[in-house]
Every structure is written in structure tokens, then in C-alpha cells.
Amino acid sequence: VYGLLKRWETRLVLLGAGFLMCCLSLDPYAAFQQFDKSMTSGSLIIVICSAMGFAGVMNLTKCDLHLVALLTKPLNKLGIFLLPCCMIVTGIVSLAISSLAGMCAAIGPTICALMIRAGFRPAMAAATVVASTLPSFWSPGSSHNGFVAKLADWPIMDYLTYTGTRTLLISIACIIFMVIATLIFGDFKKGGFENDGVQDAANKVELPEKPNLLFAFAPLLPVVLLFAVAVWLPQFKISVATAMLVGVIYTLLVTRANPAEITRKFFDGMGRGYGNILGLIIAAGVFAAGLRSCGVIDVFVEALKGSSELAKLGAAVGPYVLGVMTGSGDAAAFAFNEAVTPHAAAFGLTIPDLGYLASCAATFGRVSSPLAAGVIVISGIAGVSPMEVIKRSAPVQICTLAFLFFIS
């Protein structure tokens, strides 16, 4: 925790702590075994690397910006109702852009400028963007979904079907809480606010004047394809990687981009996906192996046995607090789910339920942290302090987490 708070390299901290605990337990080989096991997790590699490769192609061809431009055009002159509309638009974009920082960079300038001009304070405009990513839990390419589905030994589309209603409910709850927060803070006024030091960042990302519908559909095609097959053609099994490759082929055809550039970008993105996301999962696995070697997991599991409510509370509070302290939802969720979630049955819970709660809690914690890269990016775009953004987003995230706790 000290290393993460000091902003040391997350993977280094998790690996180092895991190896140290294994050595102190006189079982150093456990760390190496876990490293090998996490490195060769086939289902996760397929999901995460293919999704990141596809994201790289979207960035190269600017199809993601066509989607942003298409979604934001009809939103002018809606008054305070602009806020829920912007959250829905940002949520749709989050299905295609999994990184919070990347999504903020892509859609933040447009949404912030739109909301500020409509009469919202810059801090609330920024908080609206970072609080809108819950629909990403519908994405088959989400690393958290793939991780929990693998723990449960479920097909990822079955897991998404199982958790889909909860994702819809917490997304709606988050929108309602954001509107209430806007009224409480007095962050909307017709005609806007003066002397806010707003940086109009609309020109930092140039959106297409006339978005191409075929280009705009490209980022959503894999998600649409996976859900369509799961709902209407369940006898045909389609993997996430297949859907992503179909998306790349479609993008190549409609954009007529250089095939060599597309191919290079796709595999570069796959490599970054392995290095950044799977690297974090591997490091979290070694950290969990250290906890197991020390007996910490056994003590924790024994303490929670027979009390599903206590286990649920631990899954909600623990990842949330760690996410706030570190600014990384991935580190918090992967560490908890690797170490504790496999024991869900001992608490009277299921792996999908406990894993989903922990993943969401970590995401809420990240959006409540001034250290999160996405929060820093969107604060810079809106021209406000990260603390001003967190002052608005954190209460909303806590209320949404409480809502999820009671419906789980």
C-alpha cells in the first residue's frame, strides 16, 4: 500500500511484495509457479489482447472520433437534461474505449465544452465524464469481465447475461445520483458561470465535421456482433477474438486504410494489452500467491465463512478503498479477485456475484481518486483541480456502490 501510494510502478510493487512474502514464508517457488500460471492464461490472453489490438486500429483510423462526433451532435439545448444524455453517450463510448484516460482524452474535450456552454460548472462537466463508464461492464472485451468469467469457468457471454441487469440498474442509479449532486452543488445555471478559469478544450481533439456512419459503427461492431450471436444464434459460438477480427476487417473495408498499417497497429495493440493489462494481472497473481503463502488468505477466508453479508461488505469496501488510495481500479480488482473471490462458496456466495461486486467497487474507487490518470486528464481538459472533480464524483460513486451492495 505504501508503494502504491507513493506512485511506484504498480507491477513492480505487486511483484516485489508477492516475492517477498513467499520468501518470508520459505516458499519462494510459489511465486514462480503463480507467475508461470498467470502468464499462460489462454482465455484472458485471447480476450484482452484482441480487444486492445482492435482499440489500436480504432485509434489509427479515427473511427472512435467519428463515433464521438455522431453521438454528441444532437445534444445541444437540452438544459439540465443534457447531463443524463452526456452520461449515456459517454457510456456507449466506454464500450469501445476501455481505458478511462483514453476515453477522457477522446470524448472529454467535446463533452466538457458542450456542458460548460450549456450552463454547467467545469468541475461537474468533468465529473460527468469519469462517472459514466459503468456500461463498459457490458463489454466482452473488458479485462474484468474476462477475469471473473475465467474464475467462474463460465463463457464470457453467459457472465455478461448474468450481470447485465445489474449493470443497467447501477448505470441508471449513477445518472440519477449525478443529477441530484448537480442540484445540491448548484452546478447548473442558465447562461453559465463567470470567472471559472475554463480552458475551452474543444479544439484539442478535432472531431469530424460530418461524421461517417460507417466509420462510427466500427467501434461498436464487435460488441453488437457478440450480443447478436448470443441472443439470436446461440448455437454458433463466436469468440471475442473472432468478433474483434471481424471488426478490423470491416474497418479496413470501409476506411480503405493501408492494410500494412492496420495489421501493424493491431499487433502493436495486442502487445500493449499483454504488457499493460495482463502484466498487471500476472503481478496481482504473484501478490495473491504471497498472501496465500503467508496464510493471510486462509485467515481472511475463515473470518468471513458463514457470513455472506460480511464477505459482500469486504468485497465492496476493500477494493473501493484500495482504488481510491492507488488511483488504479485494475490493481484493486485483480488483487481481490485473484486472492478472495475463488473462495466465494465458503461465504455462501457465487464467484460471479462476488467478483462482479469487487470489480465494480474498484471502478468506483478509481473514479473517486484524485490520483487516477483519467481524473487528472479530464481535470486538465476542464481546467479545474482534480479535487474539485472528486468532490462531486466520490459521493455519487459511494451512493451507487451502496445501491449495488443492496441489490446484489
Side-chain angles (χ1 to χ4, degrees), residues 8-9 11 19 22 47 86-87 96 108 113 157 219 222 230 254 270 272 281 296 316 334-336 359 366 389 403:
W8 294 349
E9 159 60 42
R11 288 163 293 188
F19 274 114
C22 286
V47 170
C86 284
M87 290 189 73
M157 295 309 296
V254 298
M270 286 182 66
R272 282 196 301 276
I281 292 173
V296 174
F334 291 144
F336 185 93
S359 298
R366 174 188 64 182
V389 177
F403 175 76

Side-chain angles (χ1 to χ4, degrees), residues 64-365:
D64 52 351
L65 297 184
H66 281 267
L67 175 63
V68 170
L70 181 70
L71 292 174
T72 54
K73 264 199 165 186
L75 297 182
N76 293 309
K77 299 178 182 177
L78 288 175
I80 196 169
F81 295 105
L82 178 64
L83 187 148
C85 290
C86 284
M87 290 189 73
I88 292 169
V89 167
T90 307
I92 294 171
V93 173
S94 74
L95 286 168
I97 306 175
S98 57
S99 161
L100 177 64
M103 190 207 66
C104 288
I107 199 172
T110 303
I111 293 293
C112 284
L114 189 64
M115 291 187 68
I116 291 166
R117 288 170 187 156
F120 289 87
R121 284 193 203 275
M124 181 52 73
T128 297
V129 175
V130 294
S132 304
T133 62
L134 290 175
S136 66
F137 280 100
W138 278 320
S139 173
S142 165
S143 56
H144 295 291
N145 291 337
F147 192 79
V148 178
K150 180 181 178 297
L151 286 177
D153 197 23
W154 281 18
I156 191 164
M157 295 309 296
D158 289 355
Y159 173 73
L160 292 179
T161 302
Y162 181 71
T163 59
T165 302
R166 270 175 283 182
T167 299
L168 176 63
L169 290 174
I170 60 175
S171 298
I172 293 171
C174 189
I175 291 173
I176 293 170
F177 291 138
M178 282 299 296
V179 172
I180 293 171
T182 301
L183 297 174
I184 291 173
F185 282 97
D187 280 340
F188 175 75
K189 182 174 71 175
K190 274 191 175 181
F193 298 87
E194 295 180 359
N195 302 320
D196 277 309
V198 179
Q199 295 177 4
D200 186 352
N203 296 321
K204 289 187 179 179
V205 174
E206 293 184 10
L207 294 179
E209 283 292 325
K210 295 180 179 178
N212 185 307
L213 288 175
L214 295 176
F215 285 26
F217 181 62
L220 299 177
L221 176 59
V223 177
V224 172
L225 182 61
L226 284 162
F227 276 104
V229 170
V231 173
W232 290 299
L233 297 168
Q235 66 272 26
F236 292 101
K237 296 295 182 183
I238 179 172
S239 71
V240 172
T242 301
M244 297 300 167
L245 284 172
V246 170
V248 170
I249 294 168
Y250 169 85
T251 304
L252 183 59
L253 291 174
V254 298
T255 63
R256 299 179 184 177
N258 185 321
E261 286 292 321
I262 291 280
T263 304
R264 190 178 299 115
K265 194 70 175 179
F266 181 77
F267 284 101
D268 283 348
M270 286 182 66
R272 282 196 301 276
Y274 194 98
N276 295 336
I277 298 177
L278 268 163
L280 193 54
I281 292 173
I282 292 167
V286 174
F287 178 72
L291 291 174
R292 282 193 296 270
S293 294
C294 287
V296 174
I297 300 300
D298 292 337
V299 171
F300 191 66
V301 169
E302 284 298 321
L304 296 180
K305 272 184 181 177
S307 175
S308 60
E309 288 304 309
L310 191 58
K312 277 175 60 180
L313 189 62
V317 175
Y320 178 84
V321 172
L322 192 57
V324 171
M325 290 194 303
T326 65
S328 170
D330 288 350
F334 291 144
F336 185 93
N337 282 331
E338 175 74 39
V340 180
T341 301
H343 304 281
F347 317 139
L349 298 170
T350 67
I351 287 177
D353 287 332
L354 191 62
Y356 180 79
L357 178 59
S359 298
C360 288
T363 298
F364 294 140

